[in-house]
Amino acid sequence: MNEELDLLNPPSTDFSMLDYECAYIPGNQVRMHYKYVENASKTFATAVIARGWRRFGKYYFHPICNGCNECKSLRIDVNHYHYTKSQKKAIKRNKNTQIIVQKPTLTTAHIDLYNKYHAFKHQKDGWNHRNISQREYHENFVDGAHEFGKEVLYIIDGKLVGVDLIDILDDGISSIYFYYDPDYANLSLGTFSLLYQIKLAKILELPWIYLGYWVEGCKAFAYKPKFQPQEILDGFPHISEIPDWEAWSHPE
């Protein structure tokens, strides 16, 4: 029992960031609560992700914004998942796409692809953009992976065209971040990467895909309700509390 408590309460540095501009709701301010964990176990990661936290590197976090509770957590029900026609087409379009699952790595190809994708999103959707450094990339996407963090590489004709960062947890797969080459937009790699997560979860007999947050009206999250069935979680319950996930589908 004590060993389990130790796994759920690892040594950490806890802090909150000063408020900054919200990327999801214009005019709102964001405040994030962080827990920096040097040696996080899969048990700990599973517990906090199931309670609405997210992970970048060794930082686990969730919003604690003043007067706002718009960030809800979503997860896909893997065992009852049903594919849409367009999703089946995305799978067919990628019949020649090579997939490699491995520990997160850092190469020049990763950095170049990440920066190309964000420059494209800056131009297309107005995202804030500056090129990421190797140190920043390592801190966000390589560090803290331990034994449960993986990257899924998407390769076409020997070229890296997509990178999906995920955590494979005790009860599911947590989607951390995905970026791709906009020159291959016709392949719907974003959709295909999430469908591959579902396939991988079925192989590993894991019931959930943790999708991160849903904010009503936020364009960046508009794709998420297309992967049904889903459950939604309101709030960020304490580690000692059982999270109250409820069935959810977005009204069309």
Side-chain angles (χ1 to χ4, degrees), residues 68-132:
C68 181
N69 186 40
E70 289 299 309
C71 284
K72 316 291 186 185
S73 303
L74 295 180
R75 66 183 185 182
I76 299 170
D77 181 345
V78 171
N79 293 328
H80 300 96
Y81 190 75
H82 51 81
Y83 296 85
T84 65
K85 287 183 179 178
S86 63
Q87 289 168 2
K88 291 176 182 177
K89 289 178 181 177
I91 292 172
K92 288 181 180 178
R93 280 197 292 272
N94 284 278
K95 65 180 184 296
N96 295 321
T97 303
Q98 182 186 2
I99 299 173
I100 298 173
V101 182
Q102 62 182 27
K103 290 187 67 171
T105 57
L106 173 55
T107 68
T108 302
H110 282 71
I111 299 293
D112 290 347
L113 181 60
Y114 184 94
N115 288 330
K116 181 178 182 179
Y117 170 74
H118 283 82
F120 166 75
K121 296 297 282 186
H122 171 70
Q123 185 176 19
K124 180 175 180 286
D125 296 326
W127 286 17
N128 291 331
H129 168 65
R130 61 175 179 79
N131 282 349
I132 197 169

Side-chain angles (χ1 to χ4, degrees), residues 114-160:
Y114 184 94
N115 288 330
K116 181 178 182 179
Y117 170 74
H118 283 82
F120 166 75
K121 296 297 282 186
H122 171 70
Q123 185 176 19
K124 180 175 180 286
D125 296 326
W127 286 17
N128 291 331
H129 168 65
R130 61 175 179 79
N131 282 349
I132 197 169
S133 68
Q134 289 191 1
R135 179 190 60 79
E136 287 174 303
Y137 188 95
H138 185 272
E139 185 177 280
N140 283 334
F141 302 122
V142 180
D143 209 18
H146 301 301
E147 84 281 7
F148 52 85
K150 306 294 179 184
E151 66 177 7
V152 186
L153 305 182
Y154 293 87
I155 298 168
I156 295 176
D157 297 329
K159 181 181 180 182
L160 182 67

Side-chain angles (χ1 to χ4, degrees), residues 27-232:
N28 277 23
Q29 294 286 301
V30 174
R31 180 175 297 178
M32 283 288 181
H33 173 67
Y34 286 89
K35 184 182 283 287
Y36 178 85
V37 185
E38 182 70 32
N39 293 302
S41 66
K42 182 159 57 163
T43 300
F44 168 78
T46 299
V48 293
I49 296 300
R51 287 162 176 80
W53 295 58
R54 306 298 294 158
R55 179 183 80 82
F56 270 3
K58 293 180 179 178
Y59 295 89
Y60 292 80
F61 57 91
H62 67 80
I64 51 168
C65 307
N66 185 32
C68 181
N69 186 40
E70 289 299 309
C71 284
K72 316 291 186 185
S73 303
L74 295 180
R75 66 183 185 182
I76 299 170
D77 181 345
V78 171
N79 293 328
H80 300 96
Y81 190 75
H82 51 81
Y83 296 85
T84 65
K85 287 183 179 178
S86 63
Q87 289 168 2
K88 291 176 182 177
K89 289 178 181 177
I91 292 172
K92 288 181 180 178
R93 280 197 292 272
N94 284 278
K95 65 180 184 296
N96 295 321
T97 303
Q98 182 186 2
I99 299 173
I100 298 173
V101 182
Q102 62 182 27
K103 290 187 67 171
T105 57
L106 173 55
T107 68
T108 302
H110 282 71
I111 299 293
D112 290 347
L113 181 60
Y114 184 94
N115 288 330
K116 181 178 182 179
Y117 170 74
H118 283 82
F120 166 75
K121 296 297 282 186
H122 171 70
Q123 185 176 19
K124 180 175 180 286
D125 296 326
W127 286 17
N128 291 331
H129 168 65
R130 61 175 179 79
N131 282 349
I132 197 169
S133 68
Q134 289 191 1
R135 179 190 60 79
E136 287 174 303
Y137 188 95
H138 185 272
E139 185 177 280
N140 283 334
F141 302 122
V142 180
D143 209 18
H146 301 301
E147 84 281 7
F148 52 85
K150 306 294 179 184
E151 66 177 7
V152 186
L153 305 182
Y154 293 87
I155 298 168
I156 295 176
D157 297 329
K159 181 181 180 182
L160 182 67
V161 298
V163 178
D164 195 18
L165 285 307
I166 63 174
D167 282 345
I168 300 178
L169 304 172
D170 289 331
D171 69 345
I173 293 175
S174 176
S175 298
I176 297 174
Y177 201 72
F178 177 73
Y179 59 93
Y180 66 92
D181 190 332
D183 292 344
Y184 293 81
N186 63 305
L187 294 179
S188 305
L189 287 167
T191 295
F192 181 60
S193 68
L194 200 41
L195 296 174
Y196 182 73
Q197 285 185 35
I198 292 167
K199 178 181 179 180
L200 184 59
K202 287 184 177 181
I203 292 170
L204 298 173
E205 298 183 344
L206 299 172
W208 306 109
I209 303 291
Y210 289 94
L211 267 185
Y213 299 133
W214 167 257
V215 176
E216 185 66 42
C218 180
K219 181 181 176 183
F221 297 152
Y223 72 93
K224 292 187 178 183
K226 297 175 182 176
F227 298 83
Q228 292 290 336
Q230 288 183 13
E231 293 188 349
I232 195 166

